Amino acid sequence: MRVALAGLGVVGRSLLELVRDRREELLKAYGLNPRFVAVADKSGAVARATGISPHEILEQKRRGGITGIEGAEVKSGTLLDLLGELDIDVYIDATPTNIVDGEPSYSLIRKAILARADVITVNKGPLALAFPAIRELAERRGVIFRFSGTVGGGMPVLEFAKECARADTIVAIEGVLNGTTNFILTRMEEEGLDFPTALKQAQELGYAERDPTLDIKGLDTACKITILANAVLGMKVTLHDVEVVGIDGVAREDIVDALKSGEVIRLIGRAGRRLSVMPERIPKGDTLNVKEAMNAVRFTTQYSGRHTITGKGAGGYETATAILRDLISIKQRRLVET
Amino acid sequence: MRVALAGLGVVGRSLLELVRDRREELLKAYGLNPRFVAVADKSGAVARATGISPHEILEQKRRGGITGIEGAEVKSGTLLDLLGELDIDVYIDATPTNIVDGEPSYSLIRKAILARADVITVNKGPLALAFPAIRELAERRGVIFRFSGTVGGGMPVLEFAKECARADTIVAIEGVLNGTTNFILTRMEEEGLDFPTALKQAQELGYAERDPTLDIKGLDTACKITILANAVLGMKVTLHDVEVVGIDGVAREDIVDALKSGEVIRLIGRAGRRLSVMPERIPKGDTLNVKEAMNAVRFTTQYSGRHTITGKGAGGYETATAILRDLISIKQRRLVET
């Protein structure tokens, strides 16, 4: 399998480590042997038709930049140019999320689809802004488009939804889809902190980024709700269709007040008749009442009840495992077709 | 699809109702058109090569017994005899669980497999006693064997496990797998009841059967653990390999004592290095701390963390939906092969 990989942050590097360390097992169990024929990070892109080993990429990245990769048959340039020239089977997009215009991810995904490569992305930006357009383009070009790692990190949320919908219909989705905000709300609840102090604690512990806007304003959750609405409910919506309220307006008093009625406040994303993200009071015993940085997603079905899945919704190895899951699923589907 | 159905209890009747009410949708969405060419309950079995409509079966059942079904081409006898003579694609087993010898389910399943019919069962008995043997026989005869409804009712537990294991390895399974015992423990916890009183309440509300042995002695949970160990972890084990302790020895004091340390008592089934079912103290915040008759199953994976699914673990329509899920999955797999 000839792969182009963009993005060498935590997830991209975790993927390379998993492929390096699990090579034999992946080959034996799934016939999977990804060959990285092109790789790109912020510094640029390099390509080698015979493949660049994960070890070599990780080493060069550590030394400063992948553009230092040399040797026979090495081309360099922008990945956007290279994607048009190279013979690749799958493009893996592990670039950072940008919800303003989805770039550079959106253009790279489009280019890959046009070049008839299957696509795996963990980038929420292009999906939140243009899911219907990307899905349509992929269908028209006959390529497989996978994005398991965009929702729930390593939890197979989208695959679980597919199983819930087999022989049944999912009518609504609700969830706690952002670990950072849930961590902050849990700290406020359990330690009586106010919002700024809990945020600072989350930043110190590495749960929140230095610029926490996407998380605390509810936008990360809204991206995930948009993806679920399109992928699971078959809607055609973008981020702008979601009503979004963040947690920065939640006061200690609100939380204390909720606790008095046996409730907690959680940032709940909903997809169904309406799309929304907002802090809501839920009963303590509710399955969506997860603690710390955990995630929970609940599917309400027409016939078989309500099913909730909970787990860690982020993490480098977790999300990289979701990419592997997508790769294996592509491999298996392509195998059936040939 | 030519189907033989055994068992017209709540689940069997719910299945017939779903097929009757969703006929068009099932045909359109999945190409599924189950024709019941044989049906059996405690009173006997009848067969008609052209199919007996769900409506007709339900009506006759209401009037007293399906052996009253008459008309042209109707054969009657034991289902075991009929299974050898009829041309069927799928045998659906909705007979009641018997964990002593697994009969009559075990013989019916064997007979169906030998006649090269695909098999769906919601009966835990034969799986708990002879999973490895049934799996081997099915593989040897090239038939598909499905049992989604035996664990978690309508929750797609086994399918979820399959997704968790794609690109990853499940190393351990833990769960609250029996709604009756969880209901009793929750009542003891929240209302300060002792075990006999809580059991009586569960019986009055229809959560526990008149003979609650299988539930309260932990045997129902042990059956499910056996099924998960075989199906998900690839072990070759039977019910007798599970160390089982029921909840009938749990005293109010134990629960009060646990609560003092921020813990609750739940009947936890485990499959991993050891197989066990026993009341255990778990932290209140644990994802396995579900209330009332809810179920929860947690899969610990090697790379992508721990994923828990929670939901209602029983119910007629829920379990019947699991049978439909299995039927669709068989339909789709047979379609790929032809």
Side-chain angles (χ1 to χ4, degrees):
Chain A
M1 208 174 226
R2 301 167 62 81
V3 173
L5 168 68
L8 291 173
V10 176
V11 174
R13 293 200 308 275
S14 298
L15 175 69
L16 290 168
E17 286 174 28
L18 285 181
V19 169
R20 178 192 65 193
D21 300 343
R22 298 176 61 191
R23 182 168 287 280
E24 267 183 63
E25 179 214 337
L26 292 173
L27 186 61
K28 203 174 150 200
Y30 309 101
L32 193 71
N33 184 18
R35 201 149 27 117
F36 295 92
V37 295
V39 58
D41 67 0
K42 267 172 260 169
S43 71
V46 291
R48 188 196 285 153
T50 52
I52 311 169
S53 78
H55 175 76
E56 200 176 348
I57 302 167
L58 289 164
E59 270 304 301
Q60 267 303 336
K61 178 76 185 173
R62 195 158 17 220
R63 280 192 222 135
I66 50 150
T67 44
I69 290 177
E70 291 178 350
E73 295 181 57
V74 169
K75 283 188 192 182
S76 60
T78 72
L79 188 61
L80 207 57
D81 291 335
L82 291 174
L83 276 182
E85 298 169 29
L86 295 170
D87 171 22
I88 61 162
D89 300 310
V90 182
Y91 165 58
I92 298 176
D93 178 42
T95 57
T97 292
N98 157 4
I99 65 162
V100 178
D101 61 7
E103 296 296 352
S105 175
Y106 185 51
S107 295
L108 287 167
I109 289 174
R110 271 185 58 87
K111 187 77 177 261
I113 294 176
L114 290 171
R116 294 201 189 270
D118 293 327
V119 170
I120 296 169
T121 186
V122 295
N123 189 319
K124 293 178 282 285
L127 297 191
L129 299 170
F131 193 112
I134 297 174
R135 174 165 52 192
E136 204 196 310
L137 185 65
E139 278 169 12
R140 232 171 35 226
R141 304 291 287 183
V143 314
I144 304 171
F145 177 52
R146 288 277 185 278
F147 42 89
S148 180
T150 57
V151 182
M155 296 198 294
V157 173
L158 296 165
E159 294 78 3
F160 180 64
K162 208 173 150 189
E163 290 304 330
C164 290
R166 200 196 292 264
D168 207 337
T169 304
I170 294 173
V171 293
I173 307 170
E174 309 144 276
V176 169
L177 294 159
N178 179 274
T180 306
T181 45
N182 208 62
F183 180 85
I184 292 170
L185 291 172
T186 308
R187 290 299 92 199
M188 291 173 75
E189 182 182 307
E190 293 187 349
E191 294 178 14
L193 306 179
D194 57 16
F195 174 75
T197 314
L199 170 59
K200 214 177 141 214
Q201 200 182 93
Q203 286 173 317
E204 282 164 8
L205 291 168
Y207 284 109
E209 301 190 42
R210 234 177 332 159
D211 177 359
T213 313
L214 284 187
D215 292 326
I216 65 172
K217 292 287 183 188
L219 292 165
D220 175 75
T221 303
C223 287
K224 290 164 178 165
I225 280 297
T226 306
I227 294 169
L228 287 166
N230 281 283
V232 175
L233 301 181
M235 298 171 81
K236 287 190 181 184
V237 291
T238 74
L239 182 56
H240 308 296
D241 297 310
V242 188
E243 185 192 349
V244 188
V245 181
I247 64 159
D248 44 343
V250 176
R252 261 188 63 182
E253 294 70 43
D254 301 329
I255 290 178
V256 172
D257 200 52
L259 286 172
K260 277 181 197 153
S261 327
E263 294 177 314
V264 294
I265 294 182
R266 290 290 176 264
L267 183 66
I268 307 286
R270 294 181 180 277
R273 251 167 301 179
R274 67 181 188 135
L275 303 175
S276 68
V277 175
M278 54 186 66
E280 294 186 24
R281 284 167 71 143
I282 59 170
K284 267 189 188 172
D286 195 298
T287 48
L288 295 185
N289 176 13
V290 286
K291 305 284 182 191
E292 309 290 341
M294 295 272 283
N295 282 19
V297 194
R298 181 161 62 207
F299 298 102
T300 301
T301 67
Q302 199 174 349
Y303 299 100
S304 65
R306 309 207 297 174
H307 313 304
T308 308
I309 118 171
T310 58
K312 201 179 153 195
Y317 287 112
E318 287 82 355
T319 308
T321 305
I323 296 178
L324 278 184
R325 193 158 59 220
D326 285 343
L327 262 182
I328 290 166
S329 138
I330 288 174
K331 169 93 192 169
Q332 289 171 340
R333 215 175 104 192
R334 289 299 179 203
L335 213 61
V336 168
E337 287 171 3
T338 54
Chain B
M1 211 174 221
R2 302 168 61 81
V3 173
L5 168 67
L8 291 172
V10 177
V11 174
R13 292 199 310 273
S14 298
L15 175 69
L16 290 167
E17 288 175 26
L18 286 180
V19 169
R20 180 192 64 194
D21 300 343
R22 299 176 59 190
R23 182 169 287 280
E24 269 183 61
E25 179 215 338
L26 290 173
L27 187 60
K28 204 175 148 198
Y30 309 102
L32 194 71
N33 184 18
R35 197 146 33 112
F36 295 92
V37 296
V39 58
D41 68 359
K42 266 172 259 167
S43 71
V46 291
R48 187 196 286 153
T50 52
I52 311 168
S53 79
H55 175 76
E56 199 176 349
I57 302 168
L58 289 164
E59 270 304 300
Q60 267 303 336
K61 178 76 186 173
R62 198 158 16 221
R63 279 193 223 138
I66 49 151
T67 44
I69 291 176
E70 290 179 349
E73 297 182 54
V74 168
K75 283 188 192 184
S76 60
T78 74
L79 187 61
L80 207 57
D81 291 337
L82 291 174
L83 276 181
E85 297 170 28
L86 295 171
D87 171 23
I88 61 162
D89 301 310
V90 182
Y91 165 59
I92 298 176
D93 177 44
T95 56
T97 292
N98 157 4
I99 65 163
V100 177
D101 60 8
E103 295 297 352
S105 175
Y106 185 50
S107 295
L108 288 166
I109 289 175
R110 271 185 58 88
K111 187 79 177 263
I113 295 176
L114 290 171
R116 294 201 189 270
D118 293 327
V119 170
I120 296 169
T121 185
V122 295
N123 188 319
K124 293 177 284 284
L127 298 190
L129 298 169
F131 192 112
I134 296 173
R135 173 164 54 191
E136 203 196 310
L137 185 64
E139 279 169 12
R140 232 171 34 225
R141 303 292 287 186
V143 313
I144 305 172
F145 177 52
R146 289 277 184 278
F147 41 89
S148 180
T150 56
V151 182
M155 296 197 295
V157 174
L158 296 165
E159 294 79 4
F160 180 64
K162 208 173 150 189
E163 290 304 329
C164 290
R166 199 197 293 263
D168 207 336
T169 304
I170 294 174
V171 292
I173 307 169
E174 309 145 274
V176 170
L177 294 158
N178 179 273
T180 306
T181 45
N182 208 61
F183 179 86
I184 292 170
L185 291 172
T186 308
R187 291 299 91 199
M188 292 174 73
E189 183 181 307
E190 293 186 348
E191 294 178 14
L193 306 179
D194 58 16
F195 174 75
T197 313
L199 170 60
K200 215 177 141 214
Q201 200 182 94
Q203 285 171 317
E204 280 163 10
L205 291 167
Y207 284 108
E209 301 190 44
R210 234 178 331 161
D211 178 0
T213 314
L214 283 187
D215 292 326
I216 66 172
K217 291 287 185 190
L219 293 165
D220 176 74
T221 303
C223 286
K224 290 165 178 166
I225 280 297
T226 306
I227 293 169
L228 287 166
N230 282 282
V232 176
L233 301 180
M235 298 170 81
K236 286 189 181 184
V237 292
T238 74
L239 182 57
H240 308 295
D241 297 309
V242 188
E243 186 191 349
V244 188
V245 180
I247 65 158
D248 45 341
V250 176
R252 261 188 64 183
E253 295 70 44
D254 301 328
I255 290 178
V256 171
D257 199 53
L259 286 172
K260 277 182 199 152
S261 329
E263 294 179 315
V264 294
I265 294 182
R266 289 291 176 265
L267 183 66
I268 307 285
R270 296 182 179 275
R273 249 166 304 178
R274 65 179 190 136
L275 303 175
S276 67
V277 174
M278 53 187 66
E280 295 186 24
R281 285 167 70 143
I282 59 170
K284 267 189 189 173
D286 196 298
T287 49
L288 294 185
N289 176 13
V290 285
K291 306 283 182 194
E292 309 292 340
M294 297 271 283
N295 282 19
V297 194
R298 182 160 63 205
F299 297 103
T300 300
T301 66
Q302 200 173 350
Y303 299 99
S304 65
R306 308 206 299 174
H307 314 303
T308 308
I309 113 174
T310 56
K312 201 179 151 196
Y317 287 112
E318 287 82 354
T319 308
T321 305
I323 295 177
L324 278 185
R325 192 157 59 219
D326 285 344
L327 261 183
I328 290 167
S329 136
I330 287 174
K331 169 91 191 170
Q332 289 171 340
R333 213 173 106 192
R334 288 299 180 203
L335 214 60
V336 168
E337 287 172 4
T338 54

